[in-house]
Amino acid sequence: MRICVVGIGYVGLVTSTCLAEAGNTVVCVDNDGEKIADLKKGVIPIYEPGLTEMVKRNEKLGRLQFTMDLKYGVDNSLIIFIAVGTPSAPDGSSDISAILSVAEGIAECISDYRIIATKSTVPVGTCQNVVDIIKSKTSVRFDYVSNPEFLKEGAAVEDFMRPDRIIIGTNNPSVRAKMQQLYSPFMRKSSRILFMDPVSAEMTKYAANTMLAMRISFMNELSVLCEKLGADIELVRQGLGSDSRIGSAFLFPGVGYGGACFPKDIRALVHTGSEYGVEMTIAKAVQQVNIKQQQRFAERILNYFSGAEDQATLAVWGLAFKARTDDVRESPAIFCIRKFLDHQMKIKAYDPEASCSAMAALDGAIETLQNGYDVLDGADALVIFTDWQEFRNPDFEVIAAKLKKPVIFDGRNLYDPDVVKKAGIEYHSIGRPTV
Ligand SMILES: NC(=O)c1ccc[n+]([C@@H]2O[C@H](COP(=O)([O-])OP(=O)(O)OC[C@H]3O[C@@H](n4cnc5c(N)ncnc54)[C@H](O)[C@@H]3O)[C@@H](O)[C@H]2O)c1
């Protein structure tokens, strides 16, 4: 099939590349000239496991093209996906100006029937806004479908290739059939396509993200109580997750959730609720717990160095909001590091992929190094923010020898406290006794 994807970020680039991999011809459109120029040269703007090779292969085969020319994309496709960003506005609502601007752009150049599909996460009801804008500018026939994306950064290619489900929000049977045809290569064993109306499709995306974030916040709040009572949150997690009605996913306590989706999507849901006079009590609590959890972790470290913060150097492992991505948007690491910098602490950090994006987010106020052990030299403590695989089994003797005073603050509960204690290291983790 001939496809156009508008907005070539984490979602757009993965979507276009995976669709090209299935044999479709895809035109990728973005208004960021530098990004398009880089992509044409084979420079992939994001880190996502498995993506680079796939982009290069499909570009070489002529199935992926990169352009800033929306008209070219619209002319050469049947289905046009909108995958531009929908960041938070200052009032917590979702800023859909990029969506509306793309809708206008499509309306200005559409000359024959097209299916327009939104992949971006958009406030419930946006489907009607997009349809109205296009209809106000053109009489060319089109159909609209809400097709929210559920991929996870760090496993995005895998998720797209083997999705848990695909949500198709349209009441039109012929559009349903076309979308089913497009997605059938990704569900060979069994169809996991759910058809529904566009409004329910938009709502489903917010419901999923809020539910996942709720599980994290629930565990984080419990971890605080565990610390007070001397219980071990890791044992509680295992006991809880083994209940088949509950399941074990998304029950890891930590320094709080971040990223480009959970924080902004929950803010948007709360905002939509207030617009319609429905107080989203649970979603609000999820947000509050998450902010408190990040603050608590930062304060724990600041209190440890109380009175001498300005003389302390912290070695930091992990800047990305989670492993296997270079994305630092709303990363708890960035939140906490800003607090440390406010107290004149020095930061030496290592992240396998996110150093550049973190340096940009922090205006270069930290030092980043290429090796996790190098940041430890002469530092007063090691602070862990991200659960990268390579941090899971480090040489504790080297850590103890390199730090001025051997102490670890672990925001991800990566280690067995007894193992760390045996290496002579003071170990602070989440929801477990300090050893
Ligand atoms: N990142 C994720 O893990 C994820 C997962 C599921 C859904 N989503 C949703 O998908 C959407 C995109 O997220 P993302 O993380 O890929 O964003 P992103 O910021 O990485 O990418 C957005 C892209 O859109 C481009 N763009 C903006 N305005 C444009 C315009 N008018 N014309 C053409 N291009 C334009 C930007 O240059 C950028 O390349 C958001 O609504 C997000 O909530 C994201």
Side-chain angles (χ1 to χ4, degrees), residues 229-256:
L229 298 171
D232 182 333
I233 190 74
E234 288 301 322
L235 300 175
V236 175
R237 179 181 67 76
Q238 288 163 27
L240 185 63
S242 59
D243 186 325
S244 61
R245 294 167 303 175
I246 296 172
S248 57
F250 275 78
L251 288 183
F252 287 93
V255 60

PDB file of all heavy atoms in Angstrom, residues 229-256:
ATOM      1  N   LEU A 229       7.769   1.066  57.904  1.00  0.00           N
ATOM      2  CA  LEU A 229       7.402  -0.116  58.689  1.00  0.00           C
ATOM      3  C   LEU A 229       8.474  -1.191  58.723  1.00  0.00           C
ATOM      4  O   LEU A 229       8.322  -2.209  59.399  1.00  0.00           O
ATOM      5  CB  LEU A 229       6.111  -0.736  58.106  1.00  0.00           C
ATOM      6  CG  LEU A 229       4.869   0.148  58.144  1.00  0.00           C
ATOM      7  CD1 LEU A 229       3.742  -0.483  57.353  1.00  0.00           C
ATOM      8  CD2 LEU A 229       4.436   0.374  59.590  1.00  0.00           C
ATOM      9  N   GLY A 230       9.530  -0.996  57.928  1.00  0.00           N
ATOM     10  CA  GLY A 230      10.579  -2.021  57.858  1.00  0.00           C
ATOM     11  C   GLY A 230      10.195  -3.191  56.975  1.00  0.00           C
ATOM     12  O   GLY A 230      10.794  -4.262  57.047  1.00  0.00           O
ATOM     13  N   ALA A 231       9.195  -3.012  56.120  1.00  0.00           N
ATOM     14  CA  ALA A 231       8.853  -4.075  55.150  1.00  0.00           C
ATOM     15  C   ALA A 231       9.717  -3.893  53.901  1.00  0.00           C
ATOM     16  O   ALA A 231      10.312  -2.840  53.696  1.00  0.00           O
ATOM     17  CB  ALA A 231       7.377  -3.976  54.782  1.00  0.00           C
ATOM     18  N   ASP A 232       9.757  -4.945  53.073  1.00  0.00           N
ATOM     19  CA  ASP A 232      10.586  -4.899  51.865  1.00  0.00           C
ATOM     20  C   ASP A 232       9.656  -4.876  50.653  1.00  0.00           C
ATOM     21  O   ASP A 232       8.964  -5.856  50.362  1.00  0.00           O
ATOM     22  CB  ASP A 232      11.486  -6.150  51.843  1.00  0.00           C
ATOM     23  CG  ASP A 232      12.423  -6.168  50.637  1.00  0.00           C
ATOM     24  OD1 ASP A 232      12.074  -5.560  49.608  1.00  0.00           O
ATOM     25  OD2 ASP A 232      13.490  -6.808  50.733  1.00  0.00           O
ATOM     26  N   ILE A 233       9.660  -3.766  49.923  1.00  0.00           N
ATOM     27  CA  ILE A 233       8.729  -3.604  48.795  1.00  0.00           C
ATOM     28  C   ILE A 233       8.958  -4.659  47.715  1.00  0.00           C
ATOM     29  O   ILE A 233       8.024  -5.034  47.000  1.00  0.00           O
ATOM     30  CB  ILE A 233       8.823  -2.166  48.198  1.00  0.00           C
ATOM     31  CG1 ILE A 233       7.690  -1.882  47.188  1.00  0.00           C
ATOM     32  CG2 ILE A 233      10.143  -1.937  47.496  1.00  0.00           C
ATOM     33  CD1 ILE A 233       6.354  -1.667  47.766  1.00  0.00           C
ATOM     34  N   GLU A 234      10.185  -5.152  47.585  1.00  0.00           N
ATOM     35  CA  GLU A 234      10.455  -6.155  46.549  1.00  0.00           C
ATOM     36  C   GLU A 234       9.707  -7.457  46.854  1.00  0.00           C
ATOM     37  O   GLU A 234       9.210  -8.125  45.950  1.00  0.00           O
ATOM     38  CB  GLU A 234      11.958  -6.416  46.420  1.00  0.00           C
ATOM     39  CG  GLU A 234      12.713  -5.262  45.756  1.00  0.00           C
ATOM     40  CD  GLU A 234      12.208  -4.954  44.338  1.00  0.00           C
ATOM     41  OE1 GLU A 234      11.870  -5.896  43.603  1.00  0.00           O
ATOM     42  OE2 GLU A 234      12.124  -3.756  43.995  1.00  0.00           O
ATOM     43  N   LEU A 235       9.659  -7.809  48.134  1.00  0.00           N
ATOM     44  CA  LEU A 235       8.918  -9.021  48.514  1.00  0.00           C
ATOM     45  C   LEU A 235       7.419  -8.789  48.337  1.00  0.00           C
ATOM     46  O   LEU A 235       6.690  -9.658  47.864  1.00  0.00           O
ATOM     47  CB  LEU A 235       9.249  -9.403  49.960  1.00  0.00           C
ATOM     48  CG  LEU A 235      10.738  -9.695  50.227  1.00  0.00           C
ATOM     49  CD1 LEU A 235      10.983  -9.951  51.710  1.00  0.00           C
ATOM     50  CD2 LEU A 235      11.205 -10.887  49.400  1.00  0.00           C
ATOM     51  N   VAL A 236       6.990  -7.596  48.683  1.00  0.00           N
ATOM     52  CA  VAL A 236       5.563  -7.247  48.515  1.00  0.00           C
ATOM     53  C   VAL A 236       5.206  -7.311  47.027  1.00  0.00           C
ATOM     54  O   VAL A 236       4.156  -7.842  46.646  1.00  0.00           O
ATOM     55  CB  VAL A 236       5.286  -5.836  49.084  1.00  0.00           C
ATOM     56  CG1 VAL A 236       3.848  -5.415  48.808  1.00  0.00           C
ATOM     57  CG2 VAL A 236       5.595  -5.788  50.576  1.00  0.00           C
ATOM     58  N   ARG A 237       6.109  -6.782  46.191  1.00  0.00           N
ATOM     59  CA  ARG A 237       5.873  -6.788  44.735  1.00  0.00           C
ATOM     60  C   ARG A 237       5.678  -8.220  44.226  1.00  0.00           C
ATOM     61  O   ARG A 237       4.757  -8.497  43.458  1.00  0.00           O
ATOM     62  CB  ARG A 237       7.060  -6.133  44.019  1.00  0.00           C
ATOM     63  CG  ARG A 237       6.939  -6.095  42.509  1.00  0.00           C
ATOM     64  CD  ARG A 237       8.155  -5.456  41.856  1.00  0.00           C
ATOM     65  NE  ARG A 237       9.348  -6.253  42.019  1.00  0.00           N
ATOM     66  CZ  ARG A 237       9.630  -7.361  41.334  1.00  0.00           C
ATOM     67  NH1 ARG A 237       8.776  -7.804  40.422  1.00  0.00           N
ATOM     68  NH2 ARG A 237      10.740  -8.026  41.555  1.00  0.00           N
ATOM     69  N   GLN A 238       6.548  -9.114  44.680  1.00  0.00           N
ATOM     70  CA  GLN A 238       6.441 -10.502  44.214  1.00  0.00           C
ATOM     71  C   GLN A 238       5.129 -11.138  44.685  1.00  0.00           C
ATOM     72  O   GLN A 238       4.444 -11.829  43.927  1.00  0.00           O
ATOM     73  CB  GLN A 238       7.633 -11.319  44.707  1.00  0.00           C
ATOM     74  CG  GLN A 238       8.927 -10.948  43.980  1.00  0.00           C
ATOM     75  CD  GLN A 238      10.164 -11.436  44.710  1.00  0.00           C
ATOM     76  OE1 GLN A 238      10.129 -12.419  45.440  1.00  0.00           O
ATOM     77  NE2 GLN A 238      11.274 -10.732  44.528  1.00  0.00           N
ATOM     78  N   GLY A 239       4.801 -10.883  45.943  1.00  0.00           N
ATOM     79  CA  GLY A 239       3.569 -11.443  46.487  1.00  0.00           C
ATOM     80  C   GLY A 239       2.337 -10.910  45.775  1.00  0.00           C
ATOM     81  O   GLY A 239       1.387 -11.642  45.486  1.00  0.00           O
ATOM     82  N   LEU A 240       2.387  -9.639  45.443  1.00  0.00           N
ATOM     83  CA  LEU A 240       1.262  -8.974  44.786  1.00  0.00           C
ATOM     84  C   LEU A 240       1.124  -9.442  43.336  1.00  0.00           C
ATOM     85  O   LEU A 240       0.040  -9.823  42.877  1.00  0.00           O
ATOM     86  CB  LEU A 240       1.543  -7.464  44.826  1.00  0.00           C
ATOM     87  CG  LEU A 240       0.521  -6.477  44.334  1.00  0.00           C
ATOM     88  CD1 LEU A 240      -0.740  -6.555  45.173  1.00  0.00           C
ATOM     89  CD2 LEU A 240       1.098  -5.062  44.418  1.00  0.00           C
ATOM     90  N   GLY A 241       2.249  -9.428  42.618  1.00  0.00           N
ATOM     91  CA  GLY A 241       2.230  -9.722  41.180  1.00  0.00           C
ATOM     92  C   GLY A 241       1.910 -11.166  40.871  1.00  0.00           C
ATOM     93  O   GLY A 241       1.518 -11.493  39.744  1.00  0.00           O
ATOM     94  N   SER A 242       2.070 -12.053  41.851  1.00  0.00           N
ATOM     95  CA  SER A 242       1.806 -13.471  41.571  1.00  0.00           C
ATOM     96  C   SER A 242       0.295 -13.771  41.554  1.00  0.00           C
ATOM     97  O   SER A 242      -0.113 -14.861  41.177  1.00  0.00           O
ATOM     98  CB  SER A 242       2.508 -14.353  42.606  1.00  0.00           C
ATOM     99  OG  SER A 242       2.036 -14.008  43.884  1.00  0.00           O
ATOM    100  N   ASP A 243      -0.508 -12.818  41.930  1.00  0.00           N
ATOM    101  CA  ASP A 243      -1.965 -12.966  41.829  1.00  0.00           C
ATOM    102  C   ASP A 243      -2.359 -12.791  40.363  1.00  0.00           C
ATOM    103  O   ASP A 243      -2.104 -11.729  39.777  1.00  0.00           O
ATOM    104  CB  ASP A 243      -2.627 -11.875  42.702  1.00  0.00           C
ATOM    105  CG  ASP A 243      -4.139 -12.038  42.774  1.00  0.00           C
ATOM    106  OD1 ASP A 243      -4.752 -12.448  41.771  1.00  0.00           O
ATOM    107  OD2 ASP A 243      -4.696 -11.733  43.841  1.00  0.00           O
ATOM    108  N   SER A 244      -2.962 -13.829  39.779  1.00  0.00           N
ATOM    109  CA  SER A 244      -3.241 -13.766  38.335  1.00  0.00           C
ATOM    110  C   SER A 244      -4.235 -12.651  37.997  1.00  0.00           C
ATOM    111  O   SER A 244      -4.291 -12.182  36.867  1.00  0.00           O
ATOM    112  CB  SER A 244      -3.755 -15.115  37.835  1.00  0.00           C
ATOM    113  OG  SER A 244      -4.959 -15.420  38.504  1.00  0.00           O
ATOM    114  N   ARG A 245      -4.997 -12.196  38.971  1.00  0.00           N
ATOM    115  CA  ARG A 245      -5.916 -11.080  38.687  1.00  0.00           C
ATOM    116  C   ARG A 245      -5.153  -9.766  38.589  1.00  0.00           C
ATOM    117  O   ARG A 245      -5.632  -8.793  38.034  1.00  0.00           O
ATOM    118  CB  ARG A 245      -6.970 -10.957  39.808  1.00  0.00           C
ATOM    119  CG  ARG A 245      -7.912 -12.117  39.888  1.00  0.00           C
ATOM    120  CD  ARG A 245      -8.680 -12.076  41.177  1.00  0.00           C
ATOM    121  NE  ARG A 245      -7.787 -12.073  42.338  1.00  0.00           N
ATOM    122  CZ  ARG A 245      -8.181 -11.943  43.602  1.00  0.00           C
ATOM    123  NH1 ARG A 245      -9.458 -11.811  43.870  1.00  0.00           N
ATOM    124  NH2 ARG A 245      -7.311 -11.965  44.591  1.00  0.00           N
ATOM    125  N   ILE A 246      -3.946  -9.729  39.165  1.00  0.00           N
ATOM    126  CA  ILE A 246      -3.166  -8.492  39.194  1.00  0.00           C
ATOM    127  C   ILE A 246      -2.058  -8.529  38.148  1.00  0.00           C
ATOM    128  O   ILE A 246      -1.914  -7.606  37.353  1.00  0.00           O
ATOM    129  CB  ILE A 246      -2.593  -8.268  40.616  1.00  0.00           C
ATOM    130  CG1 ILE A 246      -3.744  -8.060  41.598  1.00  0.00           C
ATOM    131  CG2 ILE A 246      -1.638  -7.069  40.645  1.00  0.00           C
ATOM    132  CD1 ILE A 246      -3.340  -8.028  43.060  1.00  0.00           C
ATOM    133  N   GLY A 247      -1.271  -9.598  38.116  1.00  0.00           N
ATOM    134  CA  GLY A 247      -0.154  -9.698  37.161  1.00  0.00           C
ATOM    135  C   GLY A 247       1.047  -8.908  37.617  1.00  0.00           C
ATOM    136  O   GLY A 247       0.938  -8.029  38.485  1.00  0.00           O
ATOM    137  N   SER A 248       2.208  -9.204  37.050  1.00  0.00           N
ATOM    138  CA  SER A 248       3.443  -8.632  37.594  1.00  0.00           C
ATOM    139  C   SER A 248       3.972  -7.425  36.813  1.00  0.00           C
ATOM    140  O   SER A 248       4.934  -6.792  37.240  1.00  0.00           O
ATOM    141  CB  SER A 248       4.519  -9.718  37.654  1.00  0.00           C
ATOM    142  OG  SER A 248       4.692 -10.254  36.363  1.00  0.00           O
ATOM    143  N   ALA A 249       3.372  -7.079  35.677  1.00  0.00           N
ATOM    144  CA  ALA A 249       3.910  -5.966  34.879  1.00  0.00           C
ATOM    145  C   ALA A 249       3.651  -4.618  35.558  1.00  0.00           C
ATOM    146  O   ALA A 249       2.652  -4.443  36.260  1.00  0.00           O
ATOM    147  CB  ALA A 249       3.276  -5.971  33.489  1.00  0.00           C
ATOM    148  N   PHE A 250       4.584  -3.705  35.353  1.00  0.00           N
ATOM    149  CA  PHE A 250       4.442  -2.316  35.826  1.00  0.00           C
ATOM    150  C   PHE A 250       4.218  -2.208  37.331  1.00  0.00           C
ATOM    151  O   PHE A 250       3.457  -1.371  37.793  1.00  0.00           O
ATOM    152  CB  PHE A 250       3.323  -1.595  35.054  1.00  0.00           C
ATOM    153  CG  PHE A 250       3.831  -1.014  33.763  1.00  0.00           C
ATOM    154  CD1 PHE A 250       4.028  -1.811  32.652  1.00  0.00           C
ATOM    155  CD2 PHE A 250       4.175   0.326  33.673  1.00  0.00           C
ATOM    156  CE1 PHE A 250       4.533  -1.299  31.477  1.00  0.00           C
ATOM    157  CE2 PHE A 250       4.677   0.858  32.508  1.00  0.00           C
ATOM    158  CZ  PHE A 250       4.857   0.045  31.402  1.00  0.00           C
ATOM    159  N   LEU A 251       4.873  -3.081  38.077  1.00  0.00           N
ATOM    160  CA  LEU A 251       4.762  -2.999  39.544  1.00  0.00           C
ATOM    161  C   LEU A 251       6.118  -2.684  40.167  1.00  0.00           C
ATOM    162  O   LEU A 251       6.308  -2.919  41.358  1.00  0.00           O
ATOM    163  CB  LEU A 251       4.220  -4.318  40.112  1.00  0.00           C
ATOM    164  CG  LEU A 251       2.742  -4.634  39.870  1.00  0.00           C
ATOM    165  CD1 LEU A 251       2.341  -5.930  40.563  1.00  0.00           C
ATOM    166  CD2 LEU A 251       1.827  -3.502  40.348  1.00  0.00           C
ATOM    167  N   PHE A 252       7.067  -2.183  39.364  1.00  0.00           N
ATOM    168  CA  PHE A 252       8.388  -1.912  39.935  1.00  0.00           C
ATOM    169  C   PHE A 252       8.415  -0.533  40.591  1.00  0.00           C
ATOM    170  O   PHE A 252       8.139   0.473  39.946  1.00  0.00           O
ATOM    171  CB  PHE A 252       9.477  -1.997  38.858  1.00  0.00           C
ATOM    172  CG  PHE A 252       9.754  -3.416  38.431  1.00  0.00           C
ATOM    173  CD1 PHE A 252       9.104  -3.975  37.345  1.00  0.00           C
ATOM    174  CD2 PHE A 252      10.638  -4.205  39.151  1.00  0.00           C
ATOM    175  CE1 PHE A 252       9.335  -5.288  36.966  1.00  0.00           C
ATOM    176  CE2 PHE A 252      10.879  -5.522  38.786  1.00  0.00           C
ATOM    177  CZ  PHE A 252      10.229  -6.064  37.690  1.00  0.00           C
ATOM    178  N   PRO A 253       8.755  -0.504  41.876  1.00  0.00           N
ATOM    179  CA  PRO A 253       8.884   0.806  42.521  1.00  0.00           C
ATOM    180  C   PRO A 253      10.167   1.480  42.026  1.00  0.00           C
ATOM    181  O   PRO A 253      11.063   0.804  41.532  1.00  0.00           O
ATOM    182  CB  PRO A 253       9.016   0.449  44.004  1.00  0.00           C
ATOM    183  CG  PRO A 253       9.624  -0.917  44.010  1.00  0.00           C
ATOM    184  CD  PRO A 253       9.115  -1.610  42.772  1.00  0.00           C
ATOM    185  N   GLY A 254      10.252   2.779  42.150  1.00  0.00           N
ATOM    186  CA  GLY A 254      11.449   3.465  41.676  1.00  0.00           C
ATOM    187  C   GLY A 254      11.389   4.942  41.970  1.00  0.00           C
ATOM    188  O   GLY A 254      10.685   5.389  42.878  1.00  0.00           O
ATOM    189  N   VAL A 255      12.112   5.685  41.140  1.00  0.00           N
ATOM    190  CA  VAL A 255      12.246   7.122  41.369  1.00  0.00           C
ATOM    191  C   VAL A 255      11.108   7.908  40.697  1.00  0.00           C
ATOM    192  O   VAL A 255      11.085   9.135  40.719  1.00  0.00           O
ATOM    193  CB  VAL A 255      13.653   7.578  40.899  1.00  0.00           C
ATOM    194  CG1 VAL A 255      13.854   7.296  39.405  1.00  0.00           C
ATOM    195  CG2 VAL A 255      13.951   9.013  41.215  1.00  0.00           C
ATOM    196  N   GLY A 256      10.145   7.177  40.119  1.00  0.00           N
ATOM    197  CA  GLY A 256       9.004   7.855  39.483  1.00  0.00           C
ATOM    198  C   GLY A 256       9.037   7.650  37.983  1.00  0.00           C
ATOM    199  O   GLY A 256      10.082   7.365  37.414  1.00  0.00           O
TER     200      GLY A 256
END
